[in-house]
């Protein structure tokens, strides 16, 4: 066959087709790469970030300039100290003058070109060179002059030159420098102090120099409200002013007369003016603090001369008077608010310190009588101070303590008018008046009777005030009066009687009720002791307080009722404690207390007290029997059992559903069980016979009335008594029988029980049902 097309032609076609496929494949691969780049774009690498500089350009510039200025200053100092002697006088003057003038002149063109940092550095070098000029002048020509005096003059000249230089530059260049004026202010702190040292001034002169410099600083600080000169001025005002004030205060403290105190007082007045000027000026953030300091300094200054004249006891009142006078400007509207508040705060500080100075006398008046119980009826003291200082010394310079407290009280009452602070001020005034009255008798050395009268009247006045704080103060005052009255028998009886009456008037409140009970108890004990009665014989008399408390509790309610009952209980415990050494009297006291408690239990809301009354009656009976040396257990058991059974009967009548165990169980157990224990150890026949008869009656009563408790208790006791009585005969019978008899009898019993097992179960079930139907 002939090939169509020919093999050569077909080979050409195949090659062409393969070429076309290769081209298409390359095209598809390129397309595929582009599609992949679109689906997964390649993130570009971040651009390189230059490292952050650790120092700014201006900072580097300032460091370099300062370093250069320091190095030049050191070089100039080395030249002045080391190479100075190699030049003549003319050469020295030319070198230092030229260098200093150049250093001070260079900042002018620098400022005009705007190179302020460079100008500051060069100006600092120039200022340092002026200091070296001053030293060179002293070393070359003034070596015989006083060094301290020359330093005072040189610092004054330097301060003036630097200030003039700093103030003239802005006029020449139109731009100021920050360094010269603050440097001038800093150097200006030295001339006055150095001058005072140079002339040999004493502490007063140095303090004056310090305060004058501080005054100049204050004036400059107030004039330069803002700017670089204010910072050194304020620092100098506070630093040198504080130093001068402390020095003047030390002079006032050590002054021995008016001649020494007057100059120191004048210095403190100067310090007062400086502080007041700092408080009066506007735009002062520390105005209130400055005014407070000014007020305190004024009080110290105005009280300096009187302090050196009056006795120690009047030092505090003198300063207190000036402190109160600080309140006078508070009503002047033209005085700034901050100044008025600061002066008011200063007055408060002075008054508080005055009160603190009076506290030792108050403490002795309060705590001194605590040792009086150790010296009961030892004799009437010479006066009120002797009464309170039997164990504590009287503090020195306390003669005006009452006056100080009264003055502060008057200020609180008259000056504090704000609604928020008025109640607190009145409470504080109440405490201060109370303290003044408390300390007044020992301060004035009043007679012993007069001191007791003052304390009792104060107690009455405070107790009549229907507020908690006065009532607490009344209680404290009454305790002080009661302790002081223990020195003499008539005083004790009179004071305790008056205190009882005072608190009884306000017995509608809890605290007076408790106080009345306490002082009534103390009065009764003191009365019995005055009559030479034995402590145990005072116990029935003390029980009058629980009686009165129980009667009063029935007429009140709430906390007052509870307080009356608790107070009566405490008084009853005191009576019991007094009667403990005498058993018959203790029995009587317990019985009477039981009567009081039983009377309280009559009220519906106090019925649980009946249990306490029953316990007291039983305890009284037992104590009485023990006093009679009765050892028969029935004498102790029957007084408990009979009332318990009576109570059970009454309860069953009121509530028939009450269980017999609840109603009669305690009484029957108390009456039968002690006798049963005694009967087992009793060799006679009377007790077992009587106990058995009683148990039989109880058992029959329980069976008659279908009561479980009497039936089981009575039957159990009866069986045990019978067993006790038959035990000897059983022992004899057991001894007479042969040894094989007990096992034989036991076997017969078991056979009989087994034969009638079902009938026995029926009988037990019947007995259980019968008991279950019983109450």
């Amino acid at each position: 066959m002939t090939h169509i097309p020919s093999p050569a032609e077909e080979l050409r076609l195949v090659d062409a087709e393969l070429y076309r496929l290769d081209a298409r494949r390359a095209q598809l691969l390129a397309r595929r790469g582009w599609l992949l780049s679109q689906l997964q774009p390649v993130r570009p690498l971040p651009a390189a970030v230059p490292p952050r500089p650790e120092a700014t350009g201006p900072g580097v510039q300032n460091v370099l300039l300062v370093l250069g200025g320091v190095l030049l200053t050191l070089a100039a100092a080395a030249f002045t100290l080391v190479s100075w002697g190699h030049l003549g006088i003319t050469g020295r003057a030319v070198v230092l003058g030229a260098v200093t003038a150049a250093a001070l002149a260079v900042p002018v063109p620098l400022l005009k070109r705007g190179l302020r940092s460079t100008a500051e550095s060069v100006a600092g070098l120039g200022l340092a060179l002026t200091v070296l000029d001053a030293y060179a002048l002293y070393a070359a020509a003034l070596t015989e002059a006083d060094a301290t005096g020359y330093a005072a003059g040189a610092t004054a000249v330097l301060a003036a030159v630097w200030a003039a230089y700093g103030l003239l530059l802005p006029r020449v260049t139109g731009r100021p420098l920050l360094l010269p004026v603050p440097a001038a202010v800093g150097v200006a702190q030295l001339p006055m102090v150095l001058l005072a040292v140079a002339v040999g001034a004493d502490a007063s002169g140095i303090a004056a120099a310090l305060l004058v410099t501080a005054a100049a600083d204050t004036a400059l600080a107030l004039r330069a409200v803002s700017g670089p000169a204010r910072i050194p001025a304020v620092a100098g005002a506070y630093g040198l002013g504080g130093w001068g004030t402390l020095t003047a205060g030390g002079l006032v403290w050590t002054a021995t007369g008016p001649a020494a105190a007057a100059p120191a007082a004048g210095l403190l007045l100067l310090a007062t003016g400086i502080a007041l000027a700092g408080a009066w000026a506007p735009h002062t953030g520390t105005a209130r603090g400055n005014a407070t300091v000014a007020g305190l300094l004024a009080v110290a200054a105005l009280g300096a001369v009187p302090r050196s004249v009056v006795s120690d006891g009047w030092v505090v009142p003198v300063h207190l008077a000036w402190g109160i006078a600080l309140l006078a400007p508070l009503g002047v509207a033209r005085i700034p608010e901050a100044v008025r508040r600061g002066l008011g705060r200063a007055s408060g500080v002075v008054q508080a310190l005055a009160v603190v100075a009076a506290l030792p006398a108050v403490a002795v008046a309060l705590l001194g009588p605590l040792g009086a119980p150790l010296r009961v009826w030892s004799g009437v003291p010479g006066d009120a101070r002797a009464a309170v200082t039997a164990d504590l010394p009287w503090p020195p310079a306390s003669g005006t303590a009452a006056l100080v407290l009264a003055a502060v009280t008057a200020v609180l009452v008259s000056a504090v008018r704000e609604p928020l602070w008025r109640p607190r001020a009145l409470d504080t005034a109440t405490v201060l008046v109370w303290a003044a009255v408390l300390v007044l008798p020992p301060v004035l050395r009043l007679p012993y009777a007069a001191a007791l009268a003052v304390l009792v009247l104060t107690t009455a006045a405070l107790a009549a005030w229907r507020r908690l704080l006065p009532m607490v103060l009344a209680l404290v005052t009454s305790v002080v009066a009661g302790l002081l009255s223990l020195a003499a028998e008539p005083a004790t009886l009179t004071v305790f009687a008056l205190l009882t009456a005072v608190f009884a008037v306000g017995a509608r409140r809890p605290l007076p009720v408790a106080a009345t009970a306490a002082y009534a108890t103390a009065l009764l004990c003191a009365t019995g002791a005055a009559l030479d009665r034995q402590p145990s014989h005072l116990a029935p008399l003390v029980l009058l307080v629980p009686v009165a408390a129980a009667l009063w509790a029935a007429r009140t309610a709430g906390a007052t009722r509870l307080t009356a009952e608790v107070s009566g209980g405490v008084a009853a415990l005191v009576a019991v404690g007094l009667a403990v050494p005498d058993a018959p009297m203790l029995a009587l006291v317990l019985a009477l207390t039981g009567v009081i408690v039983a009377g309280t239990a009559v009220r519906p809301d106090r019925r649980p007290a009946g249990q306490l009354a029953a316990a007291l009656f039983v305890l009284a009976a037992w104590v009485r029997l023990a006093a009679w040396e009765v050892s028969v257990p029935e004498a102790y058991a029957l007084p408990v059992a009979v009332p318990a059974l009576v109570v059970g009967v009454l309860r069953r009548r009121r509530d028939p559903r009450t269980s017999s165990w609840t109603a009669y169980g305690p009484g029957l157990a108390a009456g039968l069980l002690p006798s049963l224990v005694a009967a087992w150890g009793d060799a006679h026949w009377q007790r077992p016979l009587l106990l058995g008869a009683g148990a039989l009656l109880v058992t029959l009563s329980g069976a008659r009335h279908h009561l479980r408790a009497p039936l089981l208790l009575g039957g159990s006791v009866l069986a045990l008594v019978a067993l006790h009585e038959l035990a000897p005969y059983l022992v004899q019978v057991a001894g007479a029988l042969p040894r094989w008899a007990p096992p034989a009898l036991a076997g017969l019993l078991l056979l009989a029980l087994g034969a009638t097992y079902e009938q026995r179960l029926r009988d037990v079930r019947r007995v259980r049902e019968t008991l279950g139907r019983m109450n």
Side-chain angles (χ1 to χ4, degrees), residues 461-527:
L462 292 171
W465 206 340
R466 296 182 178 275
R467 293 183 63 235
L468 178 60
L469 177 61
M471 182 56 63
V472 173
L473 297 178
L475 290 175
V476 176
T477 309
S478 67
V479 171
V480 175
L483 292 174
L484 287 179
S485 69
L486 296 177
E489 177 183 323
T492 302
L493 299 176
T494 304
V495 170
F496 282 169
L498 292 175
L499 293 178
T500 302
V502 165
F503 287 107
V505 173
R508 291 289 181 184
R509 290 168 291 168
L511 286 180
V513 168
T516 302
Y519 287 116
T521 303
L523 175 62
L524 293 174
C525 293
T527 302

Side-chain angles (χ1 to χ4, degrees), residues 40-46:
Q40 298 180 356
V42 180
R43 296 181 180 178
L45 293 177

Side-chain angles (χ1 to χ4, degrees), residues 367-652:
L367 304 178
L370 293 179
L374 302 177
R375 301 179 299 274
V376 176
W377 296 352
S378 59
V380 178
D383 54 33
R385 183 176 297 185
V388 301
T389 56
D391 299 306
L392 295 176
W394 182 253
S398 299
T400 57
L403 176 63
V404 168
L405 296 173
V408 177
T409 302
V411 173
L412 286 174
V413 173
S414 60
V416 181
R417 296 294 181 181
E418 297 180 5
L420 179 62
W421 294 97
R422 181 70 175 175
R424 304 176 187 178
L426 293 178
D427 289 342
T428 306
T430 302
V431 176
L432 293 179
V433 169
W434 167 77
V437 174
L438 191 67
V439 81
L440 186 62
V443 165
L444 299 180
R445 291 183 177 271
L446 295 180
Y448 175 69
L452 293 179
V454 170
L455 293 175
V456 172
L457 291 175
T458 303
T459 302
L462 292 171
W465 206 340
R466 296 182 178 275
R467 293 183 63 235
L468 178 60
L469 177 61
M471 182 56 63
V472 173
L473 297 178
L475 290 175
V476 176
T477 309
S478 67
V479 171
V480 175
L483 292 174
L484 287 179
S485 69
L486 296 177
E489 177 183 323
T492 302
L493 299 176
T494 304
V495 170
F496 282 169
L498 292 175
L499 293 178
T500 302
V502 165
F503 287 107
V505 173
R508 291 289 181 184
R509 290 168 291 168
L511 286 180
V513 168
T516 302
Y519 287 116
T521 303
L523 175 62
L524 293 174
C525 293
T527 302
L531 298 176
D532 294 330
R533 296 292 183 88
Q534 295 294 328
S536 59
H537 293 171
L538 299 178
L541 189 63
V542 174
L543 287 179
L544 293 175
V545 176
V547 171
L551 295 176
W552 186 250
R555 301 181 58 184
T556 58
T560 303
R561 171 182 293 182
L562 180 61
T563 303
E565 292 173 347
V566 172
S567 302
V570 173
L573 289 177
V574 173
V576 172
L578 292 173
V580 166
D582 190 347
M585 185 59 68
L586 178 60
L588 176 61
V589 170
L590 290 173
L592 294 176
T593 305
V595 172
I596 298 171
V597 177
T600 302
V602 172
R603 302 203 309 267
D605 58 336
R606 291 294 186 266
R607 292 297 169 80
Q611 301 176 3
L612 178 59
L616 290 172
F617 286 133
V618 171
L619 187 59
W622 287 354
V623 172
R624 182 72 264 185
L625 292 174
W628 285 336
E629 298 182 355
V630 175
S631 58
V632 179
E634 288 79 9
Y636 294 89
L638 292 180
V640 178
V642 173
L645 291 175
V646 172
V647 172
V649 171
L650 296 177
R651 184 170 182 180
R652 286 272 298 178

Side-chain angles (χ1 to χ4, degrees), residues 81-103:
L81 297 175
V82 178
S83 303
W84 183 256
H86 299 288
L87 299 176
I89 297 176
T90 305
R92 299 170 187 174
V94 171
V95 171
L96 281 179
V99 174
T100 303

Side-chain angles (χ1 to χ4, degrees), residues 295-296 299 316 319-324 326 345-355 408:
L296 295 176
V299 171
V316 174
H319 288 82
L320 177 61
W322 290 115
I324 295 174
L326 293 177
R345 185 183 297 179
S347 176
V349 171
V350 173
Q351 296 178 59
L353 293 176
V355 171
V408 177

Side-chain angles (χ1 to χ4, degrees), residues 660-661 702 706-713 771-775:
S660 62
W661 287 108
H706 299 280
L707 297 175
R708 185 182 304 173
L711 182 62
L712 294 181
L713 286 175
L771 292 176
R773 289 193 297 270
M774 294 183 180
N775 196 341

